Amino acid sequence: MLLPAVPRVRLRSVEQPAVDTPFGPLTFTTAIGNTDLALRPDELFRLPGDRTLARWVTSGARVELLLTPYDPELDPDHWGPLTGCRAAVWRIDAFAPLGRVQFSAGLSVPLPEGADAGYDGGQALAAITVEDETTRLTIGGNDEDAICWAADAGEAPGRWDALIDEVHDHARSAWGVDHGHHHGMSWTLPPLEAGEHRELPVVAAWAPAADESANTWYAVMPSPAVLLSRVTADQEETADAPEES
């Protein structure tokens, strides 16, 4: 379960969770087996700091999606300032063996005329970048290497570490990252056993297209642990702050 100690307020769940970007909403979907989860979550909560937590529950799994502001704290001596940055952490807890789980994040409206989109991954990062004359948007998350390496850090089932040999041999593998038409990405995970879980990050960062410092690319690289620790740290700072008299 994501952030069980962070206070929350239940909201009415009326629409699909999304991140607003300069190129339209970034929306998220989950498929388990051949079943797509409903776009509207079963439960929706507001967390401190302009955050929301959505939850879907099925007989075989619990899926959660945290949407949160994110400041990557880029070194101003090397990177230009971002215009905006938002992050998501997706988590699935398996109650039963799950042979196929797919999580997707993608722009939900067509790109405007004059905008280009392309693959922009590397260094364990799966990413796409969308750019027009004024704005550059990068959306990033784990690539196949990072999915396997997470097992070494205890952030994924330990047996996934042995799947590293399949990363570049798609003939042997039914899992991996699909960049589609470069408007988003889909992560198909290796099978999960009952009691296992996995978390995946998605970060969207945008800046003026005239800035050539690759700031949006470096902004979208954090792990789920980094994103969740930021939320926990913010909560602790708020709790420790003296009350105004």
Side-chain angles (χ1 to χ4, degrees):
M1 181 180 294
L2 289 174
L3 303 169
V6 175
R8 61 203 62 199
V9 175
R10 187 184 296 273
L11 302 174
R12 183 183 178 189
S13 178
V14 296
E15 59 186 19
Q16 181 182 16
V19 168
D20 290 330
T21 82
F23 294 99
L26 178 68
T27 57
F28 308 89
T29 59
T30 300
I32 300 176
N34 294 320
T35 301
D36 294 332
L37 299 191
L39 299 182
R40 189 175 70 181
D42 299 323
E43 297 178 289
L44 182 65
F45 303 93
R46 182 175 66 246
L47 277 60
D50 190 27
R51 301 177 174 101
T52 59
L53 179 67
R55 180 180 295 147
W56 296 257
V57 180
T58 74
S59 60
R62 176 178 60 229
V63 173
E64 293 177 302
L65 180 69
L66 170 73
L67 301 184
T68 178
Y70 175 58
D71 179 2
E73 298 181 351
L74 299 176
D75 185 344
D77 291 335
H78 295 88
W79 318 116
L82 299 173
T83 307
C85 188
R86 298 282 295 185
V89 177
W90 173 90
R91 173 173 172 135
I92 185 165
D93 288 273
F95 302 150
L98 303 177
R100 177 182 179 274
V101 174
Q102 185 179 74
F103 168 59
S104 300
L107 298 171
S108 59
V109 297
L111 296 181
E113 185 176 352
D116 293 320
Y119 172 74
D120 201 14
Q123 300 183 27
L125 176 70
I128 62 167
T129 290
V130 182
E131 189 170 359
D132 63 12
E133 292 182 354
T134 62
T135 303
R136 181 176 64 255
L137 166 71
T138 301
I139 301 167
N142 289 164
D143 72 358
E144 292 89 347
D145 287 320
I147 288 172
C148 293
W149 292 339
D152 291 336
E155 298 175 352
R159 56 195 171 77
W160 287 11
D161 182 60
L163 301 178
I164 193 72
D165 292 337
E166 298 181 9
V167 167
H168 303 293
D169 185 358
H170 297 291
R172 296 174 51 195
S173 174
W175 64 275
V177 185
D178 182 4
H179 297 85
H181 298 293
H182 302 138
H183 294 184
M185 291 172 284
S186 294
W187 292 263
T188 301
L189 296 181
L192 289 159
E193 298 295 333
E196 294 180 338
H197 75 275
R198 183 65 174 104
E199 295 169 356
L200 290 173
V202 180
V203 181
W206 54 98
D211 187 325
E212 299 180 354
S213 67
N215 51 355
T216 59
W217 193 85
Y218 280 92
V220 301
M221 302 183 74
S223 70
V226 169
L227 296 171
L228 295 174
S229 67
R230 289 287 188 89
V231 179
T232 302
D234 287 351
Q235 171 60 28
E236 292 174 349
E237 289 178 4
T238 301
D240 292 340
E243 296 184 1
E244 294 184 2
S245 57

